[in-house]
Structures are given as C-alpha cells and as structure tokens.
C-alpha cells in the first residue's frame, strides 16, 4: 500500500451532540455541545493471538445556566480500548481473553461524562449500584481491601467512586469447557464452561485522590 493509505486513519463514525441537562441539586442546568470521533478498529494477529483496538475522542464545551456567572468551558476526553484473545490447550478448547481500557479527560468534563468513565472501568465484586453506607469506612491499604473481599465477603460494602476524570482498567478471563476437564462431567452436566476472571482499576476521581481496586 502507498504511504497515504497507511497514514489514513480509519474513521468509523463522526457525530455531534447537543444536550440540556438539569442538575438534581440546586446548581441549575447545563447546555453541552460536543463532537465525537471513533477510530478503528485496528486489528492485528500474532499467531493464534487476535488483537483489536478502538479509540473514541471527544471535543466539546459546556455552559452553566442559572448561575451568576455563565461562561463557556471547553473540555476534551479520549477513551482507548484494546482486546486480545487466544485459544489454549491441545484441543484449543480453552479461551483466554484480555481487555484493557484507558480513559482520560480535561478539567471541565461534564458530570455525566465522568460517570460514563466510571461505569466503563467497573471492577466486578464491588457495590456500584447498591445503597451506600456512610458509616462504613474503607481501608486505605489495597492489600487490606483485597483481604476483606476474600475473607469477609465485604466487596459489596466497598463503593468505589463512580465519577472519574481518568482511569486505567483491565480484565482477564479464562474459560475452560467442562469437556476439557472431564468427559464424564461433561456428559452429566452438558455444555458449559468454568470462568476464572480478574479485574483491576487505577483511577483518578473528579473530587478525591487516586484509587486502586482489584477483584479475583
């Protein structure tokens, strides 16, 4: 291929958005205008390992309505997702997949966009949607947090921040079919797989210090 074809970015979609958001508190409302550009997917293969990467970039501006001083505040955000998968074993029945997400944003990102970054970086095992208990204190040591999750089953009592300005998260899954373990078990149970997974996240919330979470 020519150099121009190699440098040409595979733009998947370009969309514009105009939003009017009413805040739940007494801060008034926000008017938001933004343009989204999705690039990808960039696909590649190394032997049996398949990889794909996609990027979403956003430029926009927001303006508070109902405030004493209403000014236009520009913002930008970017999210990159990389997924890799391969088959393992002699029969190639086991499936290993890895997913990494990197999200970042500028200072004036709207609140619902910050929540979107948090929801895309969730770690399984923690109580994101459960009612928050203000009297529960979360240990600051990540080792103590993991020990509480494994030994005392307190994962649902720990509520990671959902409004994030930037985050780096990942998940790993290993799927083992029953017939790879035991043919007798496969005949009794039928089709199915055992799933072993591990999630992790290193994030910077919009209003607190950086946090680390993991789950197995």
């Amino acid at each position: 291929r020519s150099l121009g074809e190699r440098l040409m970015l595979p733009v998947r979609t370009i969309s514009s958005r105009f939003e009017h958001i009413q805040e739940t508190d007494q801060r008034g409302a926000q008017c938001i205008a933004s343009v989204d550009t999705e690039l990808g997917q960039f696909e590649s293969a190394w032997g049996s390992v398949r990889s794909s990467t996609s990027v979403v970039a956003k430029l926009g501006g927001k303006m508070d309505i109902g405030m004493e001083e209403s000014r236009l505040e520009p913002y930008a955000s970017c999210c990159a997702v990389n997924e890799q998968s391969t088959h393992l074993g002699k029969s190639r029945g086991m499936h290993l997949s890895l997913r990494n997400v990197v999200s970042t944003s500028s200072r004036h990102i709207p609140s619902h966009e910050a929540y979107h970054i948090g929801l895309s970086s969730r770690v399984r095992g923690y109580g994101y949607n459960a009612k928050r208990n203000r009297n529960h204190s979360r240990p600051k040591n990540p080792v103590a947090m993991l020990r509480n999750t494994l030994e005392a089953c307190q994962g649902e009592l720990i509520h990671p921040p959902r409004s994030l300005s930037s985050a780096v998260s990942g998940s790993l899954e290993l799927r083992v079919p029953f017939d790879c373990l035991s043919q007798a078990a496969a005949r009794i149970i039928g089709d199915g797989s055992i799933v072993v997974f591990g999630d992790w996240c290193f994030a910077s919330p919009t209003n607190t210090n950086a946090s680390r979470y993991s789950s197995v």
Side-chain angles (χ1 to χ4, degrees), residues 137-171:
S137 60
R138 173 174 61 88
K140 296 182 179 180
N141 190 339
V143 178
M145 294 168 52
L146 181 59
R147 183 177 65 250
N148 289 343
T149 303
L150 296 177
E151 296 180 357
C153 299
Q154 294 182 358
E156 294 183 356
L157 299 179
I158 300 175
H159 304 283
R162 289 174 291 184
S163 179
L164 305 179
S165 60
S166 60
V168 179
S169 62
S171 64

Side-chain angles (χ1 to χ4, degrees), residues 29-126:
Q30 287 184 342
C31 285
I32 302 172
S34 61
V35 176
D36 300 10
T37 302
E38 183 177 358
L39 305 177
Q41 296 183 352
F42 305 94
E43 298 182 349
S44 59
W46 300 280
S48 61
V49 179
R50 305 293 178 179
S51 176
S52 64
T53 303
S54 60
V55 179
V56 177
K58 175 178 292 187
L59 294 175
K62 69 174 184 177
M63 178 178 292
D64 294 325
I65 300 177
M67 305 291 291
E68 295 181 358
E69 295 184 3
S70 297
R71 64 179 184 274
L72 180 63
E73 297 177 333
Y75 71 93
S77 65
C78 183
C79 177
V81 181
N82 175 262
E83 296 179 334
Q84 298 177 354
S85 63
T86 184
H87 293 279
L88 304 176
K90 295 181 179 180
S91 61
R92 309 188 70 81
M94 295 185 292
H95 184 264
L96 179 66
S97 61
L98 177 66
R99 186 174 189 267
N100 296 308
V101 181
V102 179
S103 303
T104 186
S105 63
S106 60
R107 176 182 177 185
H108 300 296
I109 183 173
S111 56
H112 71 289
E113 296 284 350
Y115 274 103
H116 177 73
I117 295 178
L119 293 176
S120 64
S121 305
R122 289 181 295 180
V123 175
R124 286 170 284 189
Y126 292 102

